[in-house]
Amino acid sequence: MTEREPGFLGVEGTVHPIVQVGDPVLSTRCAEVTEFDEKLHQLLADMFASMYAADGVGLAANQIGVGLRVFVYDCPDADQVFHRGVMINPTLVPPAERHLDSDEEGCLSVRHQFHPLARPDTATVTGFDHTGAPIAASGDGLLARCLQHEYDHLEGMLYIDRLSARARKKVLKAWAEEHQAL
Ligand code: ZN
């Protein structure tokens, strides 16, 4: 397992609250990053700190209220090998062969709720690192699910938006009951 280093490039991150479903920032397509500067590095450090504090394996910038096309992850693949990375202005590359995997999915923005969702069992994302250099990330297992899930966030989509209307309603009802009790 990788070191759960909460910062990024020596920058100390601040833990932010995770925005919950219903906030428009989660349903709005995020904007492209144009400046690969210290402000971006601080955002990345804050995102890692917030993701680890919430015990997540991936986090999109809009989940801490920043509408930029950025996500971070520290997530195991099918062999339980953890991959830690950042992805800026990503593009999701469709798999050459599509095999679906139906597994439980959850989201820090729909706290404590899970529902099975079928997704391609491998995923490749291309984009840019913190310096603006082109990078690619691919994986299987939970990592494949995570890359697709975080990409969806930047498009303004939650995993519950991919469920049937009935299943979505059920998840939201359970979330609301717990949320109101907090
Ligand atoms: Zn999520």
Side-chain angles (χ1 to χ4, degrees):
M1 195 165 162
T2 47
E3 180 89 1
R4 297 207 132 201
E5 161 60 50
F8 182 71
L9 295 173
V11 180
E12 202 180 320
T14 301
V15 175
H16 293 267
I18 308 293
V19 175
Q20 294 296 298
V21 59
D23 190 307
V25 77
L26 294 175
S27 50
T28 306
R29 189 180 188 272
C30 294
E32 302 277 328
V33 169
T34 54
E35 304 289 335
F36 292 80
D37 55 7
E38 276 175 24
K39 217 176 141 193
L40 175 68
H41 300 169
Q42 184 64 58
L43 171 65
L44 292 166
D46 289 358
M47 287 172 68
F48 274 113
S50 304
M51 177 179 77
Y52 292 136
D55 208 19
V57 293
L59 189 78
N62 51 349
Q63 291 184 277
I64 57 166
V66 178
L68 287 174
R69 296 182 71 75
V70 178
F71 71 73
V72 302
Y73 57 96
D74 190 348
C75 181
D77 63 17
D79 297 320
Q80 297 307 312
V81 176
F82 275 75
H83 298 258
R84 184 183 200 260
V86 308
M87 190 54 76
I88 294 153
N89 297 341
T91 302
L92 186 64
V93 182
E97 273 187 75
R98 205 161 178 270
H99 299 285
L100 292 179
D101 168 45
S102 189
D103 214 341
E104 291 275 306
E105 190 157 323
C107 178
L108 295 175
S109 294
V110 192
R111 193 159 34 209
H112 298 160
Q113 307 307 319
F114 297 89
H115 200 279
L117 174 63
R119 290 190 186 266
D121 62 358
T122 60
T124 300
V125 173
T126 59
F128 301 88
D129 73 5
H130 63 285
T131 67
I135 51 168
S138 32
D140 53 13
L142 184 58
L143 181 58
R145 185 169 293 279
C146 174
L147 292 171
Q148 295 171 79
H149 178 114
E150 301 314 330
Y151 177 82
D152 278 354
H153 269 301
L154 305 185
E155 294 294 303
M157 185 183 259
L158 296 174
Y159 85 97
I160 58 168
D161 300 330
R162 293 188 176 276
L163 301 177
S164 69
R166 193 159 166 262
R168 186 180 188 278
K169 208 173 151 188
K170 197 177 140 202
V171 171
L172 280 173
K173 186 166 177 269
W175 171 87
E177 278 166 9
E178 190 194 292
H179 205 66
Q180 279 160 10
L182 288 176

